[in-house]
Amino acid sequence: MTTISPSLTLAITAKSKAMKAAGEPVVSFGAGEPDFNTPQHIIDAAKRALDAGYTKYTPSSGLLSLRKAVAEKFRRDNGLDYEPSQIIVSNGAKHSIFNAWLTYPEVVKVCGGVPVYIEGKKEDKFKFTPADLERAITPRTRMLIFNSPSNPTGAVYTESEVRAIAAVCEKHEIFVLSDEIYEKLCYNGVKPFSIAACSDKMKDLTITVNGVSKTYAMTGWRIGYLAAPADVARAIDSFQSHATSNACSIAQYAALEALSSPESEVQAMVDVFARRREKMLGLIAKIDGLSAVEPDGAFYVMLVVGGLYGKSYKGRKIDGSIAFSDALLEAEKVATVPGVSFGADDCLRLSYSMSEADIEEGLARIARFVSALG
Ligand code: PLP
């Protein structure tokens, strides 16, 4: 446990929440969840489940009906065939990632692994290349964690880019944990592609993680799921049965409704996100000294602020994303996530999971902050 670092972003989030609670007019670009409420038919399904008394243990791996609905989702959306026994429903995608024994850096460390970062370039929208992957591989490499559409960059790898990365993984027989939680949140006709769908061999090497949090505005319900090769799914089922048993039964019935219904409400939310994305990118382009790496998916923009480093706020030199984010919160009550937490110290992550009016207000304050820097 001593090797785990506390979340860098938590400090600033806590500070902005405390300021809000004290009545200060904070605009927070920190949100990592949709600001929409869960669609009504899903809430109604959860109420029906309560009235029907579905409040008891379910199988540890999740309701059979939900695992069938997840398998159907994989067939429909990703062209992937799984038996319900290869699907494990967990307490959020985060838990599914943890179940697969390797997640983002801190859990890799808990599991005794060494996380190695592959850096993508801004010019390539932060996407890494097959050659970058080749260079990072050593005889000790066990797994690639792949996240497209990506948090924080919004990058979406095209089918041919995914196939090129899969070819490297197949060559070296490296497992892939593919985190596809933002799959439905893509803009301008850009389409994600599931790495497991590249080939039978790749499917045997891949654990695909997804969940209902982002797609259906259900972050609080805590339902994620994974699909894996049969032996891996059996091992994960056994592990989860000791760690947490099943995910909340009522939330599973709600997720079943979400996955089994037409996606008109999802599309309506995506359309709103698309408008907010345009608004945010348009406003950033008007601010001297700032730029954005255009995202194709998720609901984040990486705002490039590094060009302003060296300037000062109230005599304090701004020399990195934490200093920038701190000063911005103090001066203009605008909360952002410092890019250093994602390995990009010249950037801030802005979420656009908020109203267009708040986006306008927040960016007007950022513009004022930038022009006041000495
Ligand atoms: N994966 C990514 C890339 C995320 O950004 C998040 C949440 O921010 C998660 C997984 C966690 O999802 P869940 O709420 O299903 O645990």
Side-chain angles (χ1 to χ4, degrees), residues 277-317:
R277 173 186 169 281
E278 287 293 316
K279 164 128 285 176
M280 185 173 264
L281 289 173
L283 290 171
I284 290 170
K286 289 190 192 144
I287 305 175
D288 268 351
L290 299 184
S291 61
V293 180
E294 219 174 273
D296 293 322
F299 41 66
Y300 309 105
V301 170
M302 288 293 260
L303 178 70
V304 186
V305 296
L308 300 171
Y309 292 174
K311 295 196 176 223
S312 303
Y313 166 72
K314 284 192 178 164
R316 285 198 329 250
K317 199 169 218 126

Side-chain angles (χ1 to χ4, degrees), residues 32 91-95 97 104 147 151 179 181-182 211 213-214 219 222-224 300:
N91 302 278
K94 229 177 212 179
H95 182 211
I97 294 167
Y104 298 115
N147 174 218
N151 172 9
D179 180 346
I181 193 125
Y182 292 102
S213 280
K214 316 286 176 171
T219 47
R222 310 307 308 130
I223 296 291
Y300 309 105

Side-chain angles (χ1 to χ4, degrees), residues 134 137 165-174 201-202 205:
E134 277 280 3
I137 291 173
I165 288 165
V168 177
C169 297
E170 282 187 22
K171 183 174 129 197
H172 295 276
E173 305 228 316
I174 290 172
K201 179 160 186 197
M202 202 58 233
L205 285 171

